[in-house]
Amino acid sequence: MAQNSQTAQEPKVKVSRIGKTPITIPAGVKVNVEGFLVKVEGPKGKLSQEISEGIIVKVDGSQVIVECADGSIGLRQKHGLFRTLIANMVEGVTNGFSKNLEIIGVGYKVVMKGKDLDLSMGFSHPVIFKAPEGIEFSVDGTTKISVKGIDKQLVGQVAANIRKIRKPEPYKGKGIRYAGEYVAMKAGKSGKK
């Protein structure tokens, strides 16, 4: 009984194990830490990330280790985040990231116009979506778009912006959706009783 009352008084703190896992640096990738800036350079390009004060990033041989300066809740919350951001940078400069989109609907299509996308989405005019710096588009047929880049956050944001042009509508599912995305369909109104 005394043991149970002791454990009830001690606050239980859940700590992310992600932050403690070291990041392996593949061959051909360089990681430099300059103050609060982490720079990663690899075969596909260069990325940098500013880190919060209190998060310590060390390069130890072929590994990157991310640590907290103290056990405060704010730092513990950021520990796993910064470890994941650095791991994504290493993955990005090594292999890159991609998001695939599908266009569904009669008359809806996409074609490449130089480096940009020319989308016909049922509006009175075509929509030209310019490729931001660090992003590359590719089109398969007239209904599949691939967004590629080394910055995971930028790839995801650009894909979301393209999807926003014509979100899938809930009655026929027409619009732009992520490849494999489930769209909940609503039953349409019918005149029969």
Side-chain angles (χ1 to χ4, degrees):
M1 192 72 178
Q3 205 173 19
N4 288 346
S5 63
Q6 221 174 23
T7 53
Q9 291 173 352
E10 292 173 13
K12 290 185 179 181
V13 180
K14 291 184 179 181
V15 179
S16 170
R17 292 188 187 95
I18 294 169
K20 294 178 184 176
T21 311
I23 303 160
T24 305
I25 303 171
V29 175
K30 293 178 186 172
V31 180
N32 293 322
V33 182
E34 298 169 6
F36 294 113
L37 193 68
V38 177
K39 293 181 180 178
V40 180
E41 189 178 337
K44 289 194 175 274
K46 299 176 184 178
L47 289 170
S48 62
Q49 174 67 49
E50 204 170 304
I51 55 170
S52 292
E53 195 173 335
I55 300 292
I56 302 157
V57 180
K58 295 183 211 168
V59 179
D60 183 19
S62 65
Q63 289 187 326
V64 179
I65 296 159
V66 182
E67 297 173 345
C68 283
D70 59 56
S72 70
I73 290 172
L75 281 183
R76 284 200 317 260
Q77 289 171 342
K78 293 175 184 174
H79 188 199
L81 167 70
F82 284 108
R83 188 262 175 212
T84 302
L85 290 175
I86 295 166
N88 286 344
M89 287 162 61
V90 171
E91 178 68 24
V93 298
T94 309
N95 302 317
F97 293 100
S98 70
K99 280 263 185 196
N100 298 317
L101 299 157
E102 295 173 342
I103 297 174
I104 296 180
V106 177
Y108 290 3
K109 64 179 185 172
V110 62
V111 291
M112 290 295 292
K113 195 171 189 179
K115 292 182 176 180
D116 305 329
L117 297 174
D118 184 352
L119 296 136
S120 299
M121 299 305 301
F123 301 118
S124 60
H125 59 282
V127 178
I128 306 295
F129 193 96
K130 296 197 175 290
E133 194 178 330
I135 293 293
E136 190 181 305
F137 295 130
S138 63
V139 172
D140 182 15
T142 59
T143 60
K144 292 185 185 199
I145 305 166
S146 185
V147 182
K148 296 175 185 169
I150 62 171
D151 185 340
K152 188 175 186 179
Q153 187 176 344
L154 183 61
V155 168
Q157 186 61 57
V158 169
N161 290 345
I162 293 169
R163 184 181 178 275
K164 219 186 284 183
I165 292 168
R166 178 73 86 176
K167 290 181 183 175
E169 55 92 23
Y171 294 101
K172 292 182 182 175
K174 297 189 332 183
I176 304 171
R177 62 175 78 177
Y178 297 114
E181 178 185 356
Y182 171 74
V183 176
M185 305 293 273
K186 292 181 182 176
K189 291 180 183 176
S190 67
K192 296 176 185 176
K193 289 190 177 181

